[in-house]
Amino acid sequence: PYGYEYDPDSCCMMKVNPETAPVVQEIFKLYLSGFETNRIARILTQKNIPPPGKYRIRMGYSYQRLPANDYWSSISVRKILQNPVYIGDHIYRIPKMPKDLKKQAMAETTISSGSVIQNHHVPLISKDSFETAGILLRCQEQLFHEKRKKANTQNKKLPTALFRNNIFCSVCKRAMIHVCRNHD
């Protein structure tokens, strides 16, 4: 995860990355002080801080999906704000592999895929800050959906005439339109 690097001495432990950890802490600090995710993304881009994808490429990791952007997106900021890895928790996932190897790996481990291992590594953010950010994200998302729903109901147009622009005058060849007039 952005802000951490795997410890070469231990295959599954993570240590704080001194270059990217302050960026994660700044994201949380800015969000909790009232900045929106898109504004935080613009601030980080203006400071020429490489986004997670570009940082991985610079560190030599292969990027198999789409090419990494040169700028921060609000989605990247949102994912960092929602990731429990920053409070020291680790979500154990069995990697993608052939089915027969995956069955063998699942049989060999006592940890089920999707389990949360608490206090796995050094946290970058306090649990209170993480939970506060999560509450704010959910509230903003709910307000956004309510606002969008209200805008959609207000912008609904009255049904148009069925034959509008499909019937033409035989004399002048212009489309005939239907004019609605309210009568008492």
Side-chain angles (χ1 to χ4, degrees):
Y2 194 78
Y4 288 102
E5 56 189 23
Y6 284 101
D7 192 356
D9 300 332
S10 175
C11 63
C12 59
M13 288 302 288
M14 292 186 290
K15 64 179 185 177
V16 175
N17 184 331
E19 189 178 345
T20 56
V23 177
V24 172
Q25 292 169 338
E26 183 179 1
I27 288 171
F28 274 90
K29 186 180 90 178
L30 288 171
Y31 189 73
L32 293 175
S33 64
F35 287 91
E36 293 182 356
T37 55
N38 57 358
R39 180 72 181 127
I40 296 170
R42 276 187 260 140
I43 290 170
L44 295 173
T45 303
Q46 289 170 355
K47 289 183 177 181
N48 291 326
I49 297 172
K54 280 292 181 190
Y55 183 76
R56 283 188 200 103
I57 290 172
R58 195 173 81 193
M59 296 306 293
Y61 295 106
S62 63
Y63 206 82
Q64 297 174 353
R65 290 180 272 157
L66 296 172
N69 294 329
D70 292 328
Y71 55 88
W72 280 83
S73 68
S74 62
I75 294 170
S76 298
V77 173
R78 181 178 289 273
K79 284 183 179 181
I80 287 174
L81 290 169
Q82 292 174 334
N83 196 344
V85 77
Y86 299 114
I87 58 171
D89 294 350
H90 179 70
I91 300 173
Y92 179 76
R93 291 188 181 93
I94 296 176
K96 292 182 180 179
M97 56 179 75
K99 287 185 180 180
D100 55 336
L101 290 176
K102 192 167 191 171
K103 285 181 185 177
Q104 181 183 354
M106 290 173 75
E108 290 175 0
T109 183
T110 58
I111 303 170
S112 63
S113 186
S115 297
V116 176
I117 304 168
Q118 294 182 345
N119 301 323
H120 179 264
H121 51 271
V122 178
L124 291 178
I125 307 297
S126 70
K127 193 167 189 152
D128 292 337
S129 297
F130 180 77
E131 289 173 355
T132 306
I135 291 168
L136 286 172
L137 280 170
R138 286 190 295 277
C139 289
Q140 279 185 339
E141 191 174 311
Q142 188 176 8
L143 285 172
F144 174 76
H145 288 300
E146 288 175 6
K147 196 177 200 181
R148 185 178 232 178
K149 187 176 180 180
K150 186 177 179 181
N152 284 344
T153 56
Q154 288 177 349
N155 291 339
K156 284 188 178 179
K157 295 181 179 178
L158 295 173
T160 58
L162 182 64
F163 296 108
R164 175 175 282 177
N165 295 327
N166 291 327
I167 299 176
F168 298 92
C169 176
S170 61
V171 177
C172 67
K173 306 296 185 213
R174 291 174 63 191
M176 298 179 79
I177 58 170
H178 174 75
V179 178
C180 291
R181 292 194 179 100
N182 292 334
H183 296 284
D184 292 330

